[in-house]
Amino acid sequence: MQLDHLNQKQKAAVTAPSGPVLVLAGPGSGKTRVLTHRIAYLVQQLGIAPFHILAVTFTNKAAQQMQVRVESMVGESMRGIWMGTFHSSCARILRREAAYLPFDSNYVILDSDDQIGIVKNILKEENINDKQFRPYTVHSDISNAKNNLVGPDELSVDTQREKVTQRVYQRYQQTLFANNALDFDDLLFWSVKLLNEHPAVRDAYARQFEHVLVDEFQDTNLVQYALLNHLASYHGNIFVVGDEDQSIYRWRGADYRNVLRFEKDYPNAKKILLEENYRSTQVILNAATQVINRNSNRTIKDLRAAREIEGNKIILHEAYDDRDEAVFVVDTIRRLMDHGNAKGSDFAVMYRTNAQSRLLEEAFLKSGLDYKLVGAQRFYGRLEIKDLIAYLRLIHNPADELSFSRIINTPKRGIGPKTLQDLLAAAHAANISPGELVLSLGLEGDKSEHWGHFASRNLNTLAFFGRQFAGWLDARNDLHLPELLDMVIEDIAYEQYLEENSSTRENATDRMANVHELRRLTYEYEEAGLEVFLENMALVSDQDTLPEAADAPTLLTLHAAKGLEFSTVFLVGLDQEILPHSRSLFEPEELAEERRLFYVGMTRAENQLYITRADRRSGYGSYSDCEPSEFLKDIPLECLEVAGRPGSTRHHHRAAGSSGGDWNQYVGPQRGASGINTGTRVFRVPGANRPETEKKYHPGMRVRHPSWGEGIVLDSRVYDEEETVDITFEDVGFKKVLASIVRLEILD
DNA sequence: GGGCAGTGCGCATCT
DNA sequence: CGCACTGCCC
Ligand SMILES: Nc1ncnc2c1ncn2[C@@H]1O[C@H](COP(=O)(O)OP(=O)(O)OP(=O)(O)O)[C@@H](O)[C@H]1O
């Protein structure tokens, strides 16, 4: 193995002797690289068997990539290594140790819709007002409790609200166990419970894991930290890497103070700081540093560009509205791909909320440019996928009442809420599951002891379904997964159901395509089987399915961008109430996290960073005005080039000229002793943006200038009834042209 | 039971 | 504006 691609400090971390190690360092300093090298070093130099290594990453994708990289470095298979996310590692432990736990080893993992659905049912059954107790909120309270290792009976019940929450929590957990189901938080919660309460089990794992390594340590929560302590309790070789400034999952219980806790719990920990940044240009790093320096309670860090490239300025584009903003992004990418030597995969567009991807997608589609979209529940969240998964779950566990209830009337069988209630009641009375009940109806017919409970009209359909169900159960062990799925799809005439229940032809085709994609996916599990397939469907999210091959720009949220890097990054929607998000504005801690989110986004860029915002955005069908994000003020002026409209450009020049390029000084007054950030109007020029005259020139047009020749219009804006056009000319490059003075000929 | 129109609210970010 | 939920009628 080579260590030459590492600097001295990185080498020190990779080859650190046994014992706890804490690598704390800024973005792009090679933390992930160090972790990867460390694993290779352990296996190759120290002869540690992969089986004795646990490496925890933040996403499944990162785990896969890390495994591939280690394997190519070491030149041998890492078979046996425990490499995965907290959730997948816990899922694995729980399957093996279910004997100690209140559920069976073939448990299923519920998705968030299922979880919310259960809460809704409980609220209804308990006659709790769902306006006062929003299912979403109650569920999130339960989730928070679990992430703090609080079970239903340990919940504090001082207020009426907490009492209700406790009641729902208790019933929620009962429902899950009754269906042999777990939610995401349970995976962590029960793993820690297990290791807490069964020292022998804990020791077995702690002895197995000679080395425990954790990436993105700043985003671990209390349960995860407890888990790590257990798993490293025998050998004490715990190697964690992280950066407090990149902690962006506070809302999910993550606590960067785990870093402090770690130092306290492992006082002999070797602490290594990495200072070189191998990713970005100095301009980007300077700007990012200024932005993050406004957060308090942190160690001030210097980010030094190891590449020793000053780099281009950050380009700030202020658009008329959010549609123009999206069009600007796509046009710029197109321009750089057409006229530069950039390829699609050099670009990423990052945003705060998934909803923001829509206008970008539209702009990409319109321009005919391919793109990759990460996340946003485009596949796993679809009804047709969830329906079929529910069938497979029911086949996997015939006692699964939740899946049964979901599919018994999909496709329509005439079994409505009323009949379902009767069915569930009859099953409970007989102490069996509804699945078993219909099996009995189907196989024993009128000799079934349950035959008498139902109206004859329903009996036929239920018995018919029971026989189909029996057929699937018979086939379950003989057929491979794709064949089993085919059998179900055919038996229930699902394709026909989709045809008949889709609003349009395209819609039906689209849904069919999803079914085929699911079918394709099952081929990857021919060997592994149903249980593994179901687990991956729950734990591998859209987030992890970045298509590797396609050479196209990536669209993703800032959260999904964590750990990634791109040559050119667009951070869009830098407006107050978007980033920072409106819901974060009241809590200083949350606002600080929004700032970190911006910081994470900025530091994804290797060479060029674009930041965009819009003066108005659409929402709920109408437009509303936007103010620039308060974070923009902290970008030093000398790092910035302002474009997009005449007002802001002029503003910029004046500012730069008058105060030696110091933005804060220019913005001055609102940065006073009070320390309160006001005056976000930095980029705003009154009345500058509403076009009084129609634009004549549009992005993408070819035009001819009398003296500069031919060029492509990038953008244009109307100000004081005059149109200024941004053009890239073939010969003379980028110019701004005042169209009322110069005769511009449109060529297309 | 199912399909329809009428009402109301916007449930961030992810496993 | 668009979806989720409600209440009404066949
Ligand atoms: N010593 C080095 N020499 C050359 N390139 C390096 C070196 N160390 C890291 N890099 C490169 O720098 C980039 C950032 O590394 P890496 O992703 O490991 O950083 P990180 O600290 O994990 O970043 P982040 O915290 O932003 O996720 C990668 O492209 C990596 O290959």
Side-chain angles (χ1 to χ4, degrees), chain A residues 372-399:
Chain A
K372 299 184 270 189
L373 183 86
V374 180
Q377 295 266 305
R378 286 303 164 102
F379 181 69
Y380 295 93
R382 301 294 294 256
L383 277 185
E384 55 275 21
I385 299 306
K386 300 185 66 174
D387 287 345
L388 292 176
I389 295 290
Y391 273 96
L392 292 176
R393 271 190 191 169
L394 185 63
I395 294 167
H396 177 241
N397 172 19

PDB file of all heavy atoms in Angstrom, chain A residues 372-399:
ATOM      1  N   LYS A 372     -29.104  14.625 -13.331  1.00  0.00           N
ATOM      2  CA  LYS A 372     -29.343  13.564 -12.359  1.00  0.00           C
ATOM      3  C   LYS A 372     -29.973  14.176 -11.128  1.00  0.00           C
ATOM      4  O   LYS A 372     -29.513  15.206 -10.637  1.00  0.00           O
ATOM      5  CB  LYS A 372     -28.013  12.912 -11.944  1.00  0.00           C
ATOM      6  CG  LYS A 372     -27.266  12.262 -13.079  1.00  0.00           C
ATOM      7  CD  LYS A 372     -26.018  11.553 -12.563  1.00  0.00           C
ATOM      8  CE  LYS A 372     -24.810  12.480 -12.572  1.00  0.00           C
ATOM      9  NZ  LYS A 372     -23.553  11.755 -12.291  1.00  0.00           N
ATOM     10  N   LEU A 373     -31.011  13.549 -10.639  1.00  0.00           N
ATOM     11  CA  LEU A 373     -31.681  14.068  -9.457  1.00  0.00           C
ATOM     12  C   LEU A 373     -31.478  13.098  -8.303  1.00  0.00           C
ATOM     13  O   LEU A 373     -31.778  11.913  -8.429  1.00  0.00           O
ATOM     14  CB  LEU A 373     -33.172  14.230  -9.745  1.00  0.00           C
ATOM     15  CG  LEU A 373     -33.977  14.824  -8.606  1.00  0.00           C
ATOM     16  CD1 LEU A 373     -33.937  16.341  -8.677  1.00  0.00           C
ATOM     17  CD2 LEU A 373     -35.406  14.340  -8.664  1.00  0.00           C
ATOM     18  N   VAL A 374     -30.973  13.598  -7.189  1.00  0.00           N
ATOM     19  CA  VAL A 374     -30.755  12.734  -6.024  1.00  0.00           C
ATOM     20  C   VAL A 374     -31.917  12.894  -5.059  1.00  0.00           C
ATOM     21  O   VAL A 374     -32.305  14.006  -4.741  1.00  0.00           O
ATOM     22  CB  VAL A 374     -29.445  13.113  -5.297  1.00  0.00           C
ATOM     23  CG1 VAL A 374     -29.231  12.212  -4.092  1.00  0.00           C
ATOM     24  CG2 VAL A 374     -28.284  13.016  -6.244  1.00  0.00           C
ATOM     25  N   GLY A 375     -32.457  11.790  -4.603  1.00  0.00           N
ATOM     26  CA  GLY A 375     -33.420  11.832  -3.510  1.00  0.00           C
ATOM     27  C   GLY A 375     -34.813  12.207  -3.921  1.00  0.00           C
ATOM     28  O   GLY A 375     -35.251  11.912  -5.017  1.00  0.00           O
ATOM     29  N   ALA A 376     -35.519  12.844  -3.008  1.00  0.00           N
ATOM     30  CA  ALA A 376     -36.851  13.365  -3.254  1.00  0.00           C
ATOM     31  C   ALA A 376     -37.913  12.285  -3.450  1.00  0.00           C
ATOM     32  O   ALA A 376     -38.947  12.527  -4.040  1.00  0.00           O
ATOM     33  CB  ALA A 376     -36.871  14.315  -4.439  1.00  0.00           C
ATOM     34  N   GLN A 377     -37.651  11.081  -2.941  1.00  0.00           N
ATOM     35  CA  GLN A 377     -38.699  10.061  -2.934  1.00  0.00           C
ATOM     36  C   GLN A 377     -39.351   9.859  -4.293  1.00  0.00           C
ATOM     37  O   GLN A 377     -40.547   9.680  -4.402  1.00  0.00           O
ATOM     38  CB  GLN A 377     -39.787  10.442  -1.915  1.00  0.00           C
ATOM     39  CG  GLN A 377     -39.312  10.448  -0.485  1.00  0.00           C
ATOM     40  CD  GLN A 377     -39.572   9.129   0.210  1.00  0.00           C
ATOM     41  OE1 GLN A 377     -40.698   8.653   0.247  1.00  0.00           O
ATOM     42  NE2 GLN A 377     -38.521   8.521   0.729  1.00  0.00           N
ATOM     43  N   ARG A 378     -38.544   9.930  -5.351  1.00  0.00           N
ATOM     44  CA  ARG A 378     -39.112   9.793  -6.681  1.00  0.00           C
ATOM     45  C   ARG A 378     -39.486   8.363  -6.996  1.00  0.00           C
ATOM     46  O   ARG A 378     -40.286   8.098  -7.872  1.00  0.00           O
ATOM     47  CB  ARG A 378     -38.126  10.281  -7.749  1.00  0.00           C
ATOM     48  CG  ARG A 378     -37.980  11.752  -7.815  1.00  0.00           C
ATOM     49  CD  ARG A 378     -39.298  12.449  -8.044  1.00  0.00           C
ATOM     50  NE  ARG A 378     -39.140  13.852  -7.732  1.00  0.00           N
ATOM     51  CZ  ARG A 378     -38.996  14.780  -8.648  1.00  0.00           C
ATOM     52  NH1 ARG A 378     -39.033  14.466  -9.903  1.00  0.00           N
ATOM     53  NH2 ARG A 378     -38.844  16.028  -8.287  1.00  0.00           N
ATOM     54  N   PHE A 379     -38.843   7.450  -6.350  1.00  0.00           N
ATOM     55  CA  PHE A 379     -39.107   6.061  -6.670  1.00  0.00           C
ATOM     56  C   PHE A 379     -39.730   5.321  -5.488  1.00  0.00           C
ATOM     57  O   PHE A 379     -40.849   4.823  -5.572  1.00  0.00           O
ATOM     58  CB  PHE A 379     -37.818   5.375  -7.110  1.00  0.00           C
ATOM     59  CG  PHE A 379     -38.013   3.932  -7.484  1.00  0.00           C
ATOM     60  CD1 PHE A 379     -38.731   3.596  -8.631  1.00  0.00           C
ATOM     61  CD2 PHE A 379     -37.509   2.926  -6.690  1.00  0.00           C
ATOM     62  CE1 PHE A 379     -38.930   2.274  -8.965  1.00  0.00           C
ATOM     63  CE2 PHE A 379     -37.698   1.597  -7.030  1.00  0.00           C
ATOM     64  CZ  PHE A 379     -38.410   1.273  -8.164  1.00  0.00           C
ATOM     65  N   TYR A 380     -39.023   5.313  -4.380  1.00  0.00           N
ATOM     66  CA  TYR A 380     -39.478   4.532  -3.231  1.00  0.00           C
ATOM     67  C   TYR A 380     -40.768   5.072  -2.631  1.00  0.00           C
ATOM     68  O   TYR A 380     -41.478   4.366  -1.938  1.00  0.00           O
ATOM     69  CB  TYR A 380     -38.374   4.462  -2.178  1.00  0.00           C
ATOM     70  CG  TYR A 380     -37.169   3.706  -2.667  1.00  0.00           C
ATOM     71  CD1 TYR A 380     -36.097   4.370  -3.266  1.00  0.00           C
ATOM     72  CD2 TYR A 380     -37.113   2.331  -2.570  1.00  0.00           C
ATOM     73  CE1 TYR A 380     -34.998   3.672  -3.736  1.00  0.00           C
ATOM     74  CE2 TYR A 380     -36.024   1.627  -3.042  1.00  0.00           C
ATOM     75  CZ  TYR A 380     -34.969   2.306  -3.629  1.00  0.00           C
ATOM     76  OH  TYR A 380     -33.888   1.616  -4.103  1.00  0.00           O
ATOM     77  N   GLY A 381     -41.073   6.333  -2.886  1.00  0.00           N
ATOM     78  CA  GLY A 381     -42.269   6.928  -2.323  1.00  0.00           C
ATOM     79  C   GLY A 381     -43.524   6.704  -3.158  1.00  0.00           C
ATOM     80  O   GLY A 381     -44.626   7.053  -2.752  1.00  0.00           O
ATOM     81  N   ARG A 382     -43.346   6.127  -4.347  1.00  0.00           N
ATOM     82  CA  ARG A 382     -44.487   5.980  -5.250  1.00  0.00           C
ATOM     83  C   ARG A 382     -45.470   4.917  -4.769  1.00  0.00           C
ATOM     84  O   ARG A 382     -45.080   3.875  -4.267  1.00  0.00           O
ATOM     85  CB  ARG A 382     -43.990   5.616  -6.657  1.00  0.00           C
ATOM     86  CG  ARG A 382     -43.058   6.653  -7.238  1.00  0.00           C
ATOM     87  CD  ARG A 382     -43.775   7.944  -7.490  1.00  0.00           C
ATOM     88  NE  ARG A 382     -44.759   7.789  -8.517  1.00  0.00           N
ATOM     89  CZ  ARG A 382     -44.615   8.216  -9.761  1.00  0.00           C
ATOM     90  NH1 ARG A 382     -43.528   8.847 -10.112  1.00  0.00           N
ATOM     91  NH2 ARG A 382     -45.574   8.020 -10.640  1.00  0.00           N
ATOM     92  N   LEU A 383     -46.763   5.202  -4.986  1.00  0.00           N
ATOM     93  CA  LEU A 383     -47.815   4.285  -4.542  1.00  0.00           C
ATOM     94  C   LEU A 383     -47.629   2.885  -5.111  1.00  0.00           C
ATOM     95  O   LEU A 383     -47.741   1.880  -4.395  1.00  0.00           O
ATOM     96  CB  LEU A 383     -49.189   4.808  -4.964  1.00  0.00           C
ATOM     97  CG  LEU A 383     -49.835   5.843  -4.067  1.00  0.00           C
ATOM     98  CD1 LEU A 383     -51.232   6.156  -4.569  1.00  0.00           C
ATOM     99  CD2 LEU A 383     -49.885   5.354  -2.630  1.00  0.00           C
ATOM    100  N   GLU A 384     -47.344   2.823  -6.425  1.00  0.00           N
ATOM    101  CA  GLU A 384     -47.250   1.513  -7.055  1.00  0.00           C
ATOM    102  C   GLU A 384     -46.107   0.697  -6.454  1.00  0.00           C
ATOM    103  O   GLU A 384     -46.213  -0.529  -6.301  1.00  0.00           O
ATOM    104  CB  GLU A 384     -47.108   1.631  -8.572  1.00  0.00           C
ATOM    105  CG  GLU A 384     -45.969   2.495  -9.076  1.00  0.00           C
ATOM    106  CD  GLU A 384     -46.332   3.975  -9.147  1.00  0.00           C
ATOM    107  OE1 GLU A 384     -47.285   4.389  -8.466  1.00  0.00           O
ATOM    108  OE2 GLU A 384     -45.650   4.722  -9.873  1.00  0.00           O
ATOM    109  N   ILE A 385     -45.042   1.373  -6.073  1.00  0.00           N
ATOM    110  CA  ILE A 385     -43.927   0.669  -5.448  1.00  0.00           C
ATOM    111  C   ILE A 385     -44.328   0.198  -4.056  1.00  0.00           C
ATOM    112  O   ILE A 385     -44.093  -0.953  -3.666  1.00  0.00           O
ATOM    113  CB  ILE A 385     -42.689   1.598  -5.357  1.00  0.00           C
ATOM    114  CG1 ILE A 385     -42.255   2.034  -6.753  1.00  0.00           C
ATOM    115  CG2 ILE A 385     -41.544   0.917  -4.629  1.00  0.00           C
ATOM    116  CD1 ILE A 385     -42.012   0.897  -7.716  1.00  0.00           C
ATOM    117  N   LYS A 386     -44.973   1.094  -3.323  1.00  0.00           N
ATOM    118  CA  LYS A 386     -45.354   0.746  -1.958  1.00  0.00           C
ATOM    119  C   LYS A 386     -46.394  -0.372  -1.916  1.00  0.00           C
ATOM    120  O   LYS A 386     -46.366  -1.224  -1.037  1.00  0.00           O
ATOM    121  CB  LYS A 386     -45.841   1.996  -1.230  1.00  0.00           C
ATOM    122  CG  LYS A 386     -44.748   3.053  -1.190  1.00  0.00           C
ATOM    123  CD  LYS A 386     -45.131   4.240  -0.383  1.00  0.00           C
ATOM    124  CE  LYS A 386     -45.260   3.814   1.059  1.00  0.00           C
ATOM    125  NZ  LYS A 386     -45.488   4.954   1.936  1.00  0.00           N
ATOM    126  N   ASP A 387     -47.312  -0.358  -2.884  1.00  0.00           N
ATOM    127  CA  ASP A 387     -48.294  -1.447  -2.970  1.00  0.00           C
ATOM    128  C   ASP A 387     -47.598  -2.792  -3.132  1.00  0.00           C
ATOM    129  O   ASP A 387     -47.860  -3.743  -2.384  1.00  0.00           O
ATOM    130  CB  ASP A 387     -49.215  -1.244  -4.184  1.00  0.00           C
ATOM    131  CG  ASP A 387     -50.205  -0.106  -3.975  1.00  0.00           C
ATOM    132  OD1 ASP A 387     -50.373   0.325  -2.818  1.00  0.00           O
ATOM    133  OD2 ASP A 387     -50.790   0.352  -4.972  1.00  0.00           O
ATOM    134  N   LEU A 388     -46.717  -2.855  -4.108  1.00  0.00           N
ATOM    135  CA  LEU A 388     -46.081  -4.147  -4.393  1.00  0.00           C
ATOM    136  C   LEU A 388     -45.165  -4.589  -3.254  1.00  0.00           C
ATOM    137  O   LEU A 388     -45.097  -5.775  -2.923  1.00  0.00           O
ATOM    138  CB  LEU A 388     -45.319  -4.070  -5.717  1.00  0.00           C
ATOM    139  CG  LEU A 388     -46.245  -3.918  -6.938  1.00  0.00           C
ATOM    140  CD1 LEU A 388     -45.453  -3.739  -8.216  1.00  0.00           C
ATOM    141  CD2 LEU A 388     -47.196  -5.115  -7.049  1.00  0.00           C
ATOM    142  N   ILE A 389     -44.502  -3.619  -2.658  1.00  0.00           N
ATOM    143  CA  ILE A 389     -43.678  -3.951  -1.484  1.00  0.00           C
ATOM    144  C   ILE A 389     -44.552  -4.532  -0.374  1.00  0.00           C
ATOM    145  O   ILE A 389     -44.164  -5.486   0.309  1.00  0.00           O
ATOM    146  CB  ILE A 389     -42.950  -2.690  -0.957  1.00  0.00           C
ATOM    147  CG1 ILE A 389     -41.949  -2.173  -1.991  1.00  0.00           C
ATOM    148  CG2 ILE A 389     -42.259  -2.963   0.362  1.00  0.00           C
ATOM    149  CD1 ILE A 389     -40.758  -3.054  -2.179  1.00  0.00           C
ATOM    150  N   ALA A 390     -45.743  -3.954  -0.210  1.00  0.00           N
ATOM    151  CA  ALA A 390     -46.647  -4.446   0.839  1.00  0.00           C
ATOM    152  C   ALA A 390     -47.038  -5.899   0.567  1.00  0.00           C
ATOM    153  O   ALA A 390     -47.108  -6.717   1.489  1.00  0.00           O
ATOM    154  CB  ALA A 390     -47.886  -3.563   0.935  1.00  0.00           C
ATOM    155  N   TYR A 391     -47.289  -6.226  -0.698  1.00  0.00           N
ATOM    156  CA  TYR A 391     -47.576  -7.633  -1.040  1.00  0.00           C
ATOM    157  C   TYR A 391     -46.406  -8.530  -0.650  1.00  0.00           C
ATOM    158  O   TYR A 391     -46.583  -9.584  -0.041  1.00  0.00           O
ATOM    159  CB  TYR A 391     -47.868  -7.775  -2.543  1.00  0.00           C
ATOM    160  CG  TYR A 391     -49.323  -7.531  -2.883  1.00  0.00           C
ATOM    161  CD1 TYR A 391     -49.752  -6.288  -3.317  1.00  0.00           C
ATOM    162  CD2 TYR A 391     -50.261  -8.563  -2.744  1.00  0.00           C
ATOM    163  CE1 TYR A 391     -51.085  -6.060  -3.621  1.00  0.00           C
ATOM    164  CE2 TYR A 391     -51.597  -8.341  -3.051  1.00  0.00           C
ATOM    165  CZ  TYR A 391     -52.004  -7.092  -3.491  1.00  0.00           C
ATOM    166  OH  TYR A 391     -53.325  -6.871  -3.774  1.00  0.00           O
ATOM    167  N   LEU A 392     -45.204  -8.080  -1.022  1.00  0.00           N
ATOM    168  CA  LEU A 392     -44.028  -8.907  -0.725  1.00  0.00           C
ATOM    169  C   LEU A 392     -43.813  -9.039   0.778  1.00  0.00           C
ATOM    170  O   LEU A 392     -43.426 -10.095   1.283  1.00  0.00           O
ATOM    171  CB  LEU A 392     -42.788  -8.309  -1.396  1.00  0.00           C
ATOM    172  CG  LEU A 392     -42.799  -8.382  -2.925  1.00  0.00           C
ATOM    173  CD1 LEU A 392     -41.580  -7.694  -3.515  1.00  0.00           C
ATOM    174  CD2 LEU A 392     -42.872  -9.842  -3.399  1.00  0.00           C
ATOM    175  N   ARG A 393     -44.119  -7.981   1.492  1.00  0.00           N
ATOM    176  CA  ARG A 393     -43.987  -8.028   2.946  1.00  0.00           C
ATOM    177  C   ARG A 393     -44.960  -9.024   3.559  1.00  0.00           C
ATOM    178  O   ARG A 393     -44.632  -9.756   4.476  1.00  0.00           O
ATOM    179  CB  ARG A 393     -44.307  -6.662   3.536  1.00  0.00           C
ATOM    180  CG  ARG A 393     -43.135  -5.766   3.635  1.00  0.00           C
ATOM    181  CD  ARG A 393     -43.575  -4.586   4.451  1.00  0.00           C
ATOM    182  NE  ARG A 393     -42.595  -3.534   4.399  1.00  0.00           N
ATOM    183  CZ  ARG A 393     -42.825  -2.323   4.859  1.00  0.00           C
ATOM    184  NH1 ARG A 393     -44.005  -2.017   5.370  1.00  0.00           N
ATOM    185  NH2 ARG A 393     -41.897  -1.432   4.810  1.00  0.00           N
ATOM    186  N   LEU A 394     -46.159  -8.999   3.036  1.00  0.00           N
ATOM    187  CA  LEU A 394     -47.180  -9.912   3.545  1.00  0.00           C
ATOM    188  C   LEU A 394     -46.771 -11.354   3.279  1.00  0.00           C
ATOM    189  O   LEU A 394     -46.967 -12.235   4.115  1.00  0.00           O
ATOM    190  CB  LEU A 394     -48.524  -9.605   2.890  1.00  0.00           C
ATOM    191  CG  LEU A 394     -49.711 -10.408   3.424  1.00  0.00           C
ATOM    192  CD1 LEU A 394     -49.959 -10.089   4.890  1.00  0.00           C
ATOM    193  CD2 LEU A 394     -50.967 -10.119   2.611  1.00  0.00           C
ATOM    194  N   ILE A 395     -46.176 -11.574   2.133  1.00  0.00           N
ATOM    195  CA  ILE A 395     -45.706 -12.923   1.810  1.00  0.00           C
ATOM    196  C   ILE A 395     -44.557 -13.310   2.732  1.00  0.00           C
ATOM    197  O   ILE A 395     -44.462 -14.431   3.206  1.00  0.00           O
ATOM    198  CB  ILE A 395     -45.281 -12.995   0.325  1.00  0.00           C
ATOM    199  CG1 ILE A 395     -46.507 -12.791  -0.569  1.00  0.00           C
ATOM    200  CG2 ILE A 395     -44.579 -14.305   0.020  1.00  0.00           C
ATOM    201  CD1 ILE A 395     -46.184 -12.523  -2.026  1.00  0.00           C
ATOM    202  N   HIS A 396     -43.713 -12.329   3.006  1.00  0.00           N
ATOM    203  CA  HIS A 396     -42.580 -12.574   3.907  1.00  0.00           C
ATOM    204  C   HIS A 396     -43.056 -12.859   5.319  1.00  0.00           C
ATOM    205  O   HIS A 396     -42.546 -13.742   6.001  1.00  0.00           O
ATOM    206  CB  HIS A 396     -41.655 -11.352   3.884  1.00  0.00           C
ATOM    207  CG  HIS A 396     -40.495 -11.458   4.813  1.00  0.00           C
ATOM    208  ND1 HIS A 396     -40.280 -10.584   5.840  1.00  0.00           N
ATOM    209  CD2 HIS A 396     -39.482 -12.353   4.871  1.00  0.00           C
ATOM    210  CE1 HIS A 396     -39.186 -10.938   6.498  1.00  0.00           C
ATOM    211  NE2 HIS A 396     -38.687 -12.001   5.925  1.00  0.00           N
ATOM    212  N   ASN A 397     -44.043 -12.118   5.767  1.00  0.00           N
ATOM    213  CA  ASN A 397     -44.605 -12.334   7.099  1.00  0.00           C
ATOM    214  C   ASN A 397     -46.127 -12.266   7.033  1.00  0.00           C
ATOM    215  O   ASN A 397     -46.706 -11.201   7.107  1.00  0.00           O
ATOM    216  CB  ASN A 397     -44.070 -11.277   8.064  1.00  0.00           C
ATOM    217  CG  ASN A 397     -44.780 -11.332   9.418  1.00  0.00           C
ATOM    218  OD1 ASN A 397     -45.403 -12.338   9.756  1.00  0.00           O
ATOM    219  ND2 ASN A 397     -44.694 -10.255  10.167  1.00  0.00           N
ATOM    220  N   PRO A 398     -46.790 -13.435   6.889  1.00  0.00           N
ATOM    221  CA  PRO A 398     -48.244 -13.476   6.722  1.00  0.00           C
ATOM    222  C   PRO A 398     -49.004 -12.842   7.885  1.00  0.00           C
ATOM    223  O   PRO A 398     -50.178 -12.507   7.748  1.00  0.00           O
ATOM    224  CB  PRO A 398     -48.535 -14.976   6.652  1.00  0.00           C
ATOM    225  CG  PRO A 398     -47.258 -15.604   6.221  1.00  0.00           C
ATOM    226  CD  PRO A 398     -46.179 -14.764   6.811  1.00  0.00           C
ATOM    227  N   ALA A 399     -48.321 -12.632   9.007  1.00  0.00           N
ATOM    228  CA  ALA A 399     -49.003 -12.030  10.158  1.00  0.00           C
ATOM    229  C   ALA A 399     -48.942 -10.507  10.116  1.00  0.00           C
ATOM    230  O   ALA A 399     -49.452  -9.842  11.019  1.00  0.00           O
ATOM    231  CB  ALA A 399     -48.367 -12.549  11.443  1.00  0.00           C
TER     232      ALA A 399
END
